[in-house]
Amino acid sequence: MLGRDSRLEVDLGFIKLKNPVIAASGTFGYGDEVAEFVSPSFLGGFVTKGLSIKPKQGNPPPRTCETACGMLNSIGLENIGIERFLKEKLPKIKAYNTAIIVNIFGESISEYATAASMLKGVAEISAIEINISCPNVKKGGMLFGTDPKLSFQITKAVLKESDKPVIVKLTPNVTDITVIAKSVEEAGAYAISLINTITGMAVDIERRKPVLGNMIGGLSGPAIKPVALYMTYRVVNSVSIPVIGGGGIMDYKDALEFLIVGAKAVQVGTANLVNPKACINIVEGLNQYCTEKGIERLQNIVGSLRTE
Amino acid sequence: MSVLDAKVVFNKCLAKEIYFLLLKAKEVSLKAKPGQFVMLKLYPDRLAFLRRPFSICLSLPEKDIFAILYTIKGKVTQSMSSLNTGATISVVGPLGNPLKLPENISDLILIGGGIGIAPLISFLPMYHEKAHFIAGFRSSEDYIDVKEIFPGTYEYIVATEDGSKGYKGTSLDLFRQYTKSRVFNNAIVISCGPLAMLKKLSKICAQAKLTCYVFLETHMACGMGLCQGCVVKTKQGYKRVCKDGPIFSAEEICWEEIRD
Ligand SMILES: Cc1cc2nc3c(=O)[nH]c(=O)nc-3n(C[C@H](O)[C@H](O)[C@H](O)COP(=O)(O)OP(=O)(O)OC[C@H]3O[C@@H](n4cnc5c(N)ncnc54)[C@H](O)[C@@H]3O)c2cc1C
Ligand SMILES: Cc1cc2nc3c(=O)[nH]c(=O)nc-3n(C[C@H](O)[C@H](O)[C@H](O)COP(=O)(O)O)c2cc1C
Ligand code: FES
C-alpha cells in the first residue's frame, strides 16, 4: 500500500505533483499573501496571477459582482509585470514545497513570446501556463483563444522562447473547444488546462447601467461547473496530452467529477476567494475518499467514467 | 488571520434596521486592531455565494468576543437580523491594514454618517480620552447611542437630518460648527459614511489643513487581497480597499474618478 500522501501523486509527464489540486490563476494572488491563511505547500501546485511583460493597471471598478451560484469579474488582468514578480514575489514563494506555475498573457504574439523568454532560466518555475483568452489588439480585440490558427501560433512562439513545459489554458467562449485543443496539441503544448471564465454581464436596474465598470466580465464559480465538466470531457477525448480540468470546483466531490471524466489534475479558482482553505479541504477530502473506497492511487480513477 | 466558525453570543436590534451582533471567536478578538474587518458567511450558505464584509466595531479579547454593528441592506443582512444566540457563522479575519496613529496626536475627531459609525467605534478603547465623536443620522429612528456601546470620557455629539435628535443637519454641518469654536494643535480626523460625505469632508479638511483619513467601501469578493476586485483609484494607481485599506489618507484618493 502506498502512503497516505503518495497515493494522491500525479505524474503529468513533465512535472510530478504531490496531489492533483492546483490553485487557479487570479484567485491566489502571487502565492505570498494567501500564506497568512494556508501554506501553499499543501497544494499540488498553484498558478500565479496572469503576468505580462509590463505592469498592467486593469479595468475601472466595480470589478466584481455576485451572481446566482457564482460571480462575474472584470479585473482586466491587473498585474505587477514579470520583472517585479521575479524580483519581489519569487524570493518569497520559492521556498514552498509545491509546483509554481506562472501564467502569462500578451496583446500580440510577440508579447507572449517575450513574456516567456523573460522566465527563461528561472529554476523555481515548474511550468508556464499561457492564457489565450485575451483580446488580440492587432485583430480588433478578438480573443486569441477563439481562433485555432492564432492559438497554434502563440503556442509555437512561446515554446520556442521557453525552456519550460508549456500548458495552454483554453477559453470556453468558442463553438467547438476540441478544435482549439487539437491545434495547441499539434503546436506542441505539454498540457491543456480549462476552462477560463465564461463571458457575461449584469445590469443594475435602478440606474439601468452595467454593474461592472467594464460592462462585461467573466463568470466563474459553481454556476459554470456543468459546462466546464462537459468541455473537459470533450477535450480529454480529443487529445492525448494531459488535461487539467476546472471551473466551479468547490469541494472534493466536484474535483472527483473532473478526474473521473479524464482530467489528471484540477484547478480550483473562485472557491479560494470564498474560503482560503478550500484547496486544502479538497486535498483532505480526496484523501478520505481514497481511504473509504480503498483506492490505492487516485490516478486510477482518472478517465474511469462508465458510459455503457 | 483565521478562517473559523464563531458562535452568536447575542444579536440585538438597537434602532430601526440596525443590529448589534456579538460573536465568540478568540483568535479574531485577540488579533483585531482598530479599523479592521471580517468577511462573514451564514449557514446554510445557499443564500449568497460570496462572503460579506463587516467592520469589527469592538473587540473584547478578555471575553473572546468581537462585535459588529450592521444595518439591513439586502439578503444576507436581512437573514443575519434573525440569527439567534448559539447560531454559528463562518468568519475570515481580521482583515485590512490597520491605521497606525502617531503617538503625539492631541485630538481624534471621528465623524460617522449613519452605519458609518461602526468602524469608528473601534478607535474608542484606545483613544477615547482624545476623541470627539460626531455622528449624523437620518432621524431619531436610526439614532444609535455610541456611549451605550462604549462608555468613556469622550464627547458624543449628534446631528439628525430632520432635527428629531440633537443638531438639525448633517454630520458635516455639525463638524463645521464644532470645529469653528475650537483650536486643535495636532488633531486627526477619521471618517466613514456615504461617498458624497467623504468627498466633501476631504475638501473641508484640506482647506482647514486637518489630517484626514477615510474608510472606503467597494464591492469585495475575497477581502484578502487575492482577486484585485475591490480597487479604488489613488494617486499611486489602483489600490485594493481590502488589503491596502480600507482606511486611506483622504489626500491619496482620486475622488473625481470614483463612481457614486
Ligand atoms: C470594508 C467594509 C466594511 C463594512 N462594514 C460594515 C459594517 O460595519 N456594518 C454594515 O452594516 N455594513 C458594512 N459594510 C457593508 C456591507 O458589507 C453590505 O451592506 C453587505 O455586504 C450587504 O449584503 P446583503 O446581502 O445584505 O446585501 P445585497 O443584497 O447583496 O446587496 C445590497 C448592497 O450591499 C452591497 N454589497 C453586497 N455584497 C457586497 C460585498 N461583498 N462587498 C461590498 N459590498 C457589498 C452591494 O453593493 C449592494 O448595494 C461594509 C463594507 C465593506 C466593504
Ligand atoms: C477574480 C478572478 C481573476 C482571474 N484572473 C485570471 C488570470 O489572470 N489569468 C487566467 O488565466 N485566469 C484567470 N481567472 C480564471 C480562473 O483562473 C479560472 O480559470 C476560472 O475562474 C474558472 O474556475 P473557477 O470557477 O474555479 O473560478 C480569474 C478568475 C477570477 C474569478
Ligand atoms: S476583495 Fe479580493 S482583493 Fe480585495
Side-chain angles (χ1 to χ4, degrees):
Chain A
M1 227 344 246
L2 285 163
R4 179 178 156 84
D5 291 323
S6 45
R7 67 190 172 185
L8 295 189
E9 276 170 7
V10 185
D11 188 354
L12 291 177
F14 53 95
I15 30 169
K16 285 202 172 74
L17 307 176
K18 68 170 86 162
N19 64 59
V21 182
I22 302 171
S25 179
T27 62
F28 215 65
Y30 301 103
D32 55 337
E33 288 175 328
V34 77
E36 287 182 52
F37 293 93
V38 290
S39 165
S41 297
F42 285 99
L43 304 173
F46 73 86
V47 189
T48 66
K49 174 71 194 161
L51 289 160
S52 45
I53 50 183
K54 293 220 174 71
K56 197 164 184 281
Q57 77 158 5
N59 285 328
R63 289 179 173 183
T64 55
C65 85
E66 187 172 66
T67 63
C69 295
M71 64 177 280
L72 283 166
N73 89 80
S74 59
I75 310 301
L77 296 167
E78 173 176 346
N79 77 92
I80 58 174
I82 293 175
E83 226 165 273
R84 268 186 68 195
F85 168 76
L86 293 174
K87 215 183 285 163
E88 295 169 22
K89 301 290 183 181
L90 196 62
K92 289 195 213 164
I93 59 176
K94 66 182 180 193
Y96 298 129
N97 178 19
T98 190
I100 300 174
I101 301 170
V102 174
N103 182 291
I104 58 167
F105 70 93
E107 286 173 351
S108 64
I109 292 179
S110 70
E111 279 188 26
Y112 276 93
T114 308
S117 70
M118 290 167 80
L119 300 169
K120 237 184 194 164
V122 187
E124 296 88 354
I125 300 172
S126 300
I128 290 180
E129 180 181 69
I130 49 181
N131 173 7
I132 56 171
S133 326
C134 307
N136 176 356
V137 173
K138 285 200 180 128
K139 283 215 168 168
M142 186 193 69
L143 302 184
F144 282 110
T146 58
D147 180 329
K149 270 200 210 105
L150 287 173
S151 304
F152 180 93
Q153 286 167 10
I154 290 185
T155 310
K156 265 256 181 292
V158 169
L159 279 161
K160 190 161 162 262
E161 287 304 322
S162 178
D163 56 357
K164 311 243 175 306
V166 172
I167 303 164
V168 182
K169 183 170 182 182
L170 305 187
T171 169
N173 301 309
V174 291
T175 315
D176 184 354
I177 197 158
T178 64
V179 174
I180 312 286
K182 283 182 201 147
S183 73
V184 304
E185 177 182 44
E186 199 192 318
Y190 284 61
I192 284 171
S193 58
L194 78 164
I195 63 174
N196 213 314
T197 56
I198 302 176
T199 306
M201 68 184 286
V203 172
D204 177 337
I205 57 168
E206 300 300 326
R207 306 162 195 246
R208 289 197 229 159
K209 277 187 173 173
V211 174
L212 297 174
N214 183 53
M215 188 144 105
I216 62 162
L219 183 65
S220 64
I224 70 169
K225 198 191 81 181
V227 177
L229 195 59
Y230 170 64
M231 289 192 159
T232 303
Y233 170 73
R234 293 220 39 216
V235 168
V236 162
N237 289 293
S238 65
V239 298
S240 48
I241 50 177
V243 173
I244 303 167
I249 295 176
M250 296 301 287
D251 58 25
Y252 79 95
K253 292 179 185 168
D254 295 333
L256 282 168
E257 288 193 61
F258 282 86
L259 297 177
I260 291 168
V261 303
K264 288 200 163 187
V266 295
Q267 286 197 358
V268 178
T270 306
N272 298 309
L273 307 180
V274 180
N275 181 359
K277 288 192 173 156
C279 282
I280 285 182
N281 292 346
I282 292 171
V283 173
E284 193 46 42
L286 291 174
N287 238 324
Q288 273 175 21
Y289 176 81
C290 287
T291 305
E292 277 163 28
K293 304 278 177 194
I295 293 172
E296 279 254 356
R297 294 187 68 85
L298 186 60
Q299 284 297 300
N300 293 345
I301 71 156
V302 168
S304 63
L305 184 73
R306 300 181 179 130
T307 49
E308 70 284 359
Chain B
M1 262 110 291
S2 323
V3 191
L4 47 80
D5 280 344
K7 281 249 180 308
V8 173
V9 178
F10 76 68
N11 183 29
K12 187 174 150 196
C13 183
L14 294 188
K16 194 182 164 201
E17 300 197 326
I18 299 176
Y19 288 77
F20 188 64
L21 174 66
L22 274 185
L23 290 170
K24 189 145 188 147
K26 187 177 187 159
E27 286 149 77
V28 179
S29 73
L30 275 175
K31 290 183 208 154
K33 299 201 179 71
Q36 288 194 296
F37 66 98
V38 287
M39 294 290 285
L40 299 183
K41 201 163 177 36
L42 307 186
Y43 291 110
D45 68 354
R46 282 185 298 274
L47 181 68
F49 179 65
L50 296 173
R51 286 176 183 272
R52 298 291 193 264
F54 295 93
S55 300
I56 298 169
C57 104
L58 215 54
S59 140
L60 308 168
E62 64 285 0
K63 290 183 179 157
D64 301 343
I65 279 172
F66 72 95
I68 276 162
L69 187 67
Y70 67 96
T71 184
I72 297 180
K73 248 301 187 34
K75 53 188 179 182
V76 173
T77 44
Q78 180 69 54
S79 170
M80 262 166 85
S81 69
S82 54
L83 281 173
N84 292 320
T85 299
T88 309
I89 289 193
S90 168
V91 181
V92 172
L95 299 162
N97 185 15
L99 177 65
K100 282 182 211 82
L101 291 174
E103 296 266 319
N104 61 345
I105 60 162
S106 63
D107 299 85
L108 183 63
I109 307 173
L110 302 167
I111 310 173
I115 198 67
I117 60 172
L120 303 180
I121 297 172
S122 70
F123 288 91
L124 290 174
M126 230 187 274
Y127 296 100
H128 66 105
E129 282 161 354
K130 292 176 175 177
H132 311 256
F133 204 122
I134 301 173
F137 302 97
R138 247 168 285 138
S139 76
S140 58
E141 278 194 337
D142 60 346
Y143 160 79
I144 298 290
D145 186 356
V146 170
K147 286 252 168 176
E148 228 172 75
I149 297 174
F150 188 88
T153 59
Y154 58 99
E155 235 182 308
Y156 182 51
I157 49 173
V158 171
T160 51
E161 279 165 32
D162 66 358
S164 55
K165 182 102 195 168
Y167 176 90
K168 184 173 189 306
T170 66
S171 57
L172 289 190
D173 297 334
L174 185 53
F175 170 61
R176 278 203 197 89
Q177 188 95 349
Y178 188 76
T179 46
K180 216 185 277 169
S181 52
R182 285 171 180 76
V183 186
F184 302 103
N185 49 46
N186 200 3
I188 281 182
V189 174
I190 307 179
S191 182
C192 180
L195 195 67
M197 164 189 159
L198 300 180
K199 261 187 197 180
K200 231 190 241 171
L201 176 68
S202 84
K203 270 196 196 133
I204 300 173
C205 288
Q207 275 162 10
K209 299 211 160 44
L210 275 168
T211 308
C212 176
Y213 291 93
V214 291
F215 274 87
L216 294 182
E217 207 181 287
T218 53
H219 189 268
M220 292 183 177
C222 72
M224 298 173 270
L226 298 178
C227 74
Q228 321 270 20
C230 60
V231 296
V232 62
K233 193 67 166 277
T234 72
K235 295 193 174 138
Q236 298 97 44
Y238 283 125
K239 283 197 178 176
R240 295 161 302 180
V241 172
C242 72
K243 186 84 184 179
D244 307 310
I247 310 170
F248 291 92
S249 159
E251 286 175 357
E252 193 186 347
I253 304 299
C254 300
W255 292 104
E256 61 299 334
E257 289 193 42
I258 304 182
R259 190 171 99 165
D260 297 275

